[in-house]
């Protein structure tokens, strides 16, 4: 489960320095952190950095494409992807989100910047445009409940080079309540330690270890993290266990909170500081496109953690937001807002989106939470081509 979907081109040179102002989410409905905000808090709730892709998603394929044949998809969508999945999910949940990313000066880059800045209310003051650099692109094909991706892109020039033609680019990371990092085996991202030193709470996921070593020592930034959110296979490989729950407990020797996603089985978490553990099953839905679901899960968990919710409520909320996201096209623009969450909870008139009574009780915390939620404007969704972006 990786911010950026495991794709390799990275804008990996944020620098230490000033603080951009964070914009507000235009369609959040209400502020989930209202009860914990106070004077002197940083303007930014969450900071993250990474590569923005243009995602082109095909859905409705009956099977995997076969060599030498032509396959027709019944659905298609285009939207920003990569780190944009996480940024949009955070912003749609009402968190003031700052993103540092490189954007190409091509039409794809313009589309992604407009969709994230104007459309999602994400603060892009820490981002920059790279002349002559084309936007990375991913084509994703969804079938049989899974997806296959083909990507192309080149690493953006280092940020230091960008300042030669963008002298006003602010330093990173800005003061923030939290940061989300995607850990890379063998790679140290200096901004993670800087953020933690400044008091930001750091949450991290990780991509597949192509080296096959699966050595936690090769994730040095884990030492700065409050919570680590791998999937079950990643967690077991890193800990040498054959059970994801045992893996979660083993990970708490390296990070305070371990959250392991179990796919259709939901998620399991352990807080090593208190010994508390929690397990929540997944919300059953019919998946249209699973692109970005892991990123949406992390965004939901971070929201609950910053709001001070109990561990089990954080897992339930994260799982619910991820489940709602797979019913729409695209990664960034499939993420739910509070209107979709309220629609699910009140969908049957009894609460719980049609869940059996015993399972509905797990989400009872939403009832009080949603009383302060006003219905926002409709969310943007992925469109077949970027030519429809103004409609």
């Amino acid at each position: 489960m990786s911010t950026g979907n495991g794709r390799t081109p990275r804008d990996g040179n944020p620098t230490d320095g000033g603080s951009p102002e964070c914009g507000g989410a235009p369609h959040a409905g209400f502020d989930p952190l209202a009860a914990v905000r106070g004077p002197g808090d940083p303007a930014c709730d969450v900071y993250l950095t990474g590569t923005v892709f243009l995602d082109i998603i095909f859905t409705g394929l009956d099977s995997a494409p076969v060599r030498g044949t032509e396959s027709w998809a019944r659905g298609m969508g285009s939207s920003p992807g990569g780190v944009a999945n996480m940024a949009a999910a955070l912003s749609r949940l009402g968190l003031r989100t700052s993103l540092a990313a490189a954007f190409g000066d091509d039409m794809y880059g313009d589309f992604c910047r407009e969709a994230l800045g104007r459309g999602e209310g994400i603060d892009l003051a820490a981002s920059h445009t790279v002349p002559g650099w084309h936007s990375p692109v991913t084509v994703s094909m969804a079938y049989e409940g899974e997806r296959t991706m083909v990507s192309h892109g080149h690493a953006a020039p280092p940020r230091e080079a960008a300042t030669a033609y963008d002298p006003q680019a602010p330093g990173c990371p800005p003061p923030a309540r939290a940061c989300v990092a995607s850990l890379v085996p063998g790679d140290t991202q200096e901004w993670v330690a800087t953020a933690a030193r400044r008091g930001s709470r750091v949450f991290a996921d990780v991509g597949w270890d192509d080296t096959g070593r699966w050595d936690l020592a090769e994730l040095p930034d884990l030492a700065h993290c409050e919570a680590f959110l791998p999937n079950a296979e990643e967690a077991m490989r890193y800990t040498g266990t054959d059970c994801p729950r045992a893996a979660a407990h083993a990970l708490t020797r390296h990070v305070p909170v371990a959250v392991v996603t179990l796919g259709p089985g939901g998620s399991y978490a352990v807080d090593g500081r208190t010994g508390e553990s929690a397990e929540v099953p997944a919300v059953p839905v019919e998946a249209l496109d699973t692109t970005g679901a892991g990123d949406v899960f992390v965004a939901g968990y971070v929201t609950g953690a910053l709001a001070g919710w109990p561990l089990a409520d954080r897992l339930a909320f994260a799982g619910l937001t991820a489940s709602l996201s797979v019913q729409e096209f695209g990664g960034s623009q499939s993420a739910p807002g509070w209107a979709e969450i309220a629609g699910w909870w009140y969908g049957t008139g009894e609460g719980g989106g049609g869940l059996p009574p015993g399972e509905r009780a797990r989400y009872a915390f939403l009832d009080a939470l949603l009383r302060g939620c006003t219905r926002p404007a409709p969310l943007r969704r992925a469109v077949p081509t970027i030519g429809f972006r103004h409609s």
Side-chain angles (χ1 to χ4, degrees):
M1 181 174 60
S2 170
T3 306
N5 291 336
R7 290 166 275 188
T8 53
R10 302 173 60 86
D11 174 29
N13 291 277
T15 56
D16 194 1
S19 169
E21 291 298 319
C22 257
H27 41 222
F30 82 117
D31 182 2
L33 305 188
V36 298
R37 294 195 188 280
D41 285 350
C44 180
D45 290 329
V46 185
Y47 166 83
L48 64 166
T49 184
T51 302
V52 174
F53 287 72
L54 173 72
D55 278 359
I56 302 172
I57 308 102
F58 293 103
T59 65
L61 290 163
D62 294 321
S63 61
V66 177
R67 184 174 60 181
T69 67
E70 181 179 14
S71 299
W72 279 82
R74 290 187 290 275
M76 175 185 170
S78 301
S79 65
V83 73
N85 297 339
M86 181 83 70
L90 291 162
S91 186
R92 289 184 172 193
L93 292 175
L95 302 188
R96 301 166 185 171
T97 303
S98 172
L99 171 64
F103 289 89
D105 63 350
D106 53 7
M107 186 178 294
Y108 291 171
D110 291 344
F111 165 69
C112 289
R113 180 183 278 276
E114 178 185 320
L116 296 175
R118 186 182 303 175
E120 302 296 342
I122 296 165
D123 177 41
L124 299 178
S127 295
H128 62 287
T129 298
V130 182
W133 180 67
H134 76 77
S135 301
V137 176
T138 288
V139 175
S140 177
M141 293 163 282
Y143 53 88
E144 299 173 355
E146 286 294 340
R147 59 176 179 161
T148 297
M149 298 188 298
V150 178
S151 297
H152 174 73
H154 305 280
R159 183 62 183 258
E160 290 78 9
T163 59
Y165 44 76
D166 188 12
Q168 301 305 313
C172 301
R177 291 175 183 270
C179 299
V180 180
S182 185
L183 305 185
V184 179
D187 182 25
T188 298
Q189 302 174 65
E190 293 183 5
W191 72 266
V192 175
T194 300
R197 186 172 63 251
R198 290 177 174 175
S200 295
R201 300 166 66 179
V202 182
F203 301 82
D205 63 8
V206 69
W208 190 258
D209 186 354
D210 291 328
T211 69
R213 289 190 289 269
W214 297 99
D215 184 357
L216 285 170
E218 295 192 1
L219 301 178
D221 292 328
L222 192 60
H224 306 295
C225 297
E226 172 182 320
F228 183 43
L229 299 94
N231 64 33
E233 185 66 22
E234 293 160 352
M236 290 188 291
R237 287 177 179 264
Y238 271 118
T239 58
T241 59
D242 57 4
C243 169
R245 294 160 188 82
H249 285 273
L251 285 171
T252 59
R253 294 196 289 268
H254 305 272
V255 66
V257 181
V259 181
V260 177
T261 56
L262 309 174
S267 59
Y268 181 82
V270 180
D271 188 331
R273 299 166 298 190
T274 64
E276 179 187 10
S277 64
E279 182 167 0
V280 177
V283 175
V285 295
E286 184 174 345
L288 172 67
D289 176 21
T290 61
T291 303
D295 296 317
V296 176
F297 181 95
V298 175
Y301 181 87
V302 170
T303 300
L306 294 184
W309 300 349
L311 183 61
D313 290 354
R314 286 176 246 160
L315 295 189
F317 185 75
L320 171 61
T321 54
S323 292
L324 294 178
S325 77
V326 303
Q327 298 178 93
E328 298 285 347
F329 282 112
S332 63
Q333 295 186 334
S334 69
W338 289 102
E340 286 71 28
I341 295 166
W344 176 82
W345 176 243
Y346 297 117
T348 63
E350 299 175 340
L355 292 176
E359 295 182 29
R360 272 203 305 271
R362 172 60 271 160
Y363 298 88
F365 69 96
L366 289 174
D367 205 37
L369 186 66
L370 291 169
R371 289 174 191 165
C373 180
T374 57
R375 187 169 184 85
L379 293 174
R380 289 190 174 201
R381 296 300 186 190
V383 293
T385 78
I386 63 175
F388 296 155
R389 65 187 185 275
H390 295 300
S391 61

